[in-house]
Amino acid sequence: MAIKIIFSDIDGTFLNSQKKVTDLTAQAVKSIIAKNLKFVLVSARMPEAIYPITEKIGVKIPVISYNGALILTEDEKILNDKKILAVDAKNILSEMFKGWDDISVGYYSGRKWFVQKIDERIEYEIKSTKVQTEISNFDELLEKNILPNKIFVRCDPKICEEMEFELGKKFKNLNVVRSAPHLLEVMDKSVSKAEGIKILLNHYGASKDEAIAFGDNYNDIEMLKYIPRSVAMANAPDGVRKFARFVTDSNDDSGIYTYLAKIGVIEK
């Protein structure tokens, strides 16, 4: 069956270890669009942390942000906007601040990023994503019904693993998952990259058998399990690669280009 749509994670997959798009990866995306195929970036990032990447390449493409909680077409039309319920957000934030001290918490609502204070980790995130944050009290945001699509925590890997286990066990109606050893993402239970992909496939009238999915980390597992032609990067941990049907070169070696050229979706 012919391929109609390609989904790709961003960090560790689409971007290399220097957080840049290689020339060959950019070439692959442009070739796909030139063939009237769809290329979609799928990420835990917010839209404002994705668009600078696509603008630099010079393309307009659909994005699945917040792991699927906010989905936008290439024209930035909203297809999905799933928020965490106020009571759930309030309870899990309270549990976070009560149980752990050395954590940096971000509150993402729509296309805005809020923090209660700026520390070294938040400064790093600002520098890395090129997105400015707003300082605001989370309780006040909830009172104004400005609900989060995602709550994001940066912390020591040991604390992150502990938080994932403890919070995941206590908040069964939320999706609590690490996107990296030091990063924890919290969304509504219905949110995953796989569910986001289903929404876009339906929108574009394509089936999962007409898709390819590229990923490298733990929050990509549901996506890799859902798409039959799933591809893990060589830099992915063994615990992620085992869920993919194929393994390509690393993100530093333009693995997306390598695989797409190998199977003839694009020309070398």
Side-chain angles (χ1 to χ4, degrees):
M1 191 172 286
I3 298 300
K4 292 183 177 179
I5 188 164
I6 293 97
F7 298 94
S8 174
D9 169 58
I10 293 182
D11 296 284
T13 303
F14 191 72
L15 299 182
N16 64 15
S17 54
Q18 281 73 51
K19 301 292 185 183
K20 297 183 182 298
V21 181
T22 68
D23 290 342
L24 286 177
T25 300
Q27 180 183 322
V29 175
K30 290 177 180 178
S31 296
I32 289 163
I33 294 173
K35 290 189 170 189
N36 291 319
L37 305 179
K38 297 293 183 184
F39 190 92
V40 183
L41 287 176
V42 187
S43 179
R45 290 181 177 222
M46 68 186 300
E48 270 60 31
I50 299 175
Y51 288 139
I53 299 169
T54 57
E55 287 168 3
K56 194 166 185 179
I57 301 172
V59 297
K60 277 183 165 290
I61 61 174
V63 299
I64 296 176
S65 62
Y66 302 138
N67 289 332
L70 182 59
I71 302 173
L72 303 167
T73 67
E74 53 265 65
D75 299 321
E76 299 185 31
K77 174 186 174 184
I78 296 174
L79 297 181
N80 191 49
D81 185 6
K82 186 66 177 179
K83 300 290 205 308
I84 299 172
L85 294 176
V87 62
D88 292 331
K90 185 176 182 66
N91 288 339
I92 199 166
L93 284 166
S94 175
E95 194 74 19
M96 285 176 178
F97 291 123
K98 183 173 65 178
W100 295 274
D101 294 323
D102 189 21
I103 61 173
S104 301
V105 182
Y107 185 113
Y108 294 83
S109 180
R111 299 177 67 166
K112 290 192 174 184
W113 170 28
F114 302 97
V115 296
Q116 294 194 142
K117 64 177 182 178
I118 295 178
D119 57 21
E120 290 183 1
R121 295 190 187 105
I122 300 299
E123 286 179 350
Y124 175 85
E125 189 74 12
I126 293 170
K127 184 178 179 181
S128 175
T129 63
K130 307 294 189 294
V131 178
Q132 290 300 315
T133 185
E134 298 181 31
I135 296 176
S136 186
N137 182 280
F138 296 161
D139 286 335
E140 291 178 2
L141 291 174
L142 290 171
E143 287 172 6
K144 295 175 183 176
N145 203 38
I146 301 174
L147 305 179
N149 293 95
K150 181 183 80 167
I151 296 168
F152 179 64
V153 184
R154 276 185 172 271
C155 55
D156 178 82
K158 186 177 179 181
I159 293 175
C160 195
E161 183 176 5
E162 182 182 308
M163 290 182 75
E164 181 184 40
F165 177 76
E166 294 295 336
L167 295 174
K169 183 173 62 174
K170 187 163 188 176
F171 295 92
K172 298 293 187 182
N173 51 340
L174 294 176
N175 188 1
V176 182
V177 62
R178 281 176 293 161
S179 54
H182 62 293
L183 303 177
L184 187 74
E185 318 272 351
V186 179
M187 290 82 54
D188 182 81
K189 189 68 173 179
S190 65
V191 171
S192 73
K193 290 186 176 183
E195 291 301 317
I197 284 173
K198 289 178 187 178
I199 291 170
L200 263 188
L201 287 175
N202 182 64
H203 177 73
Y204 290 116
S207 73
K208 64 180 181 180
D209 294 317
E210 296 171 309
I212 299 172
F214 292 92
D216 80 296
N217 221 316
Y218 295 100
N219 64 340
D220 297 322
I221 289 174
E222 291 301 317
M223 171 176 75
L224 295 175
K225 287 166 64 177
Y226 177 67
I227 297 295
R229 192 179 284 273
S230 56
V231 187
M233 311 303 286
N235 48 289
D238 290 341
V240 175
R241 279 191 287 178
K242 70 180 182 181
F243 290 103
R245 185 176 177 189
F246 305 99
V247 176
T248 188
D249 291 340
S250 74
N251 58 330
D252 287 330
D253 294 319
S254 307
I256 292 174
Y257 171 90
T258 302
Y259 182 79
L260 294 176
K262 180 180 178 180
I263 66 170
V265 172
I266 60 172
E267 296 176 1
K268 289 185 179 181

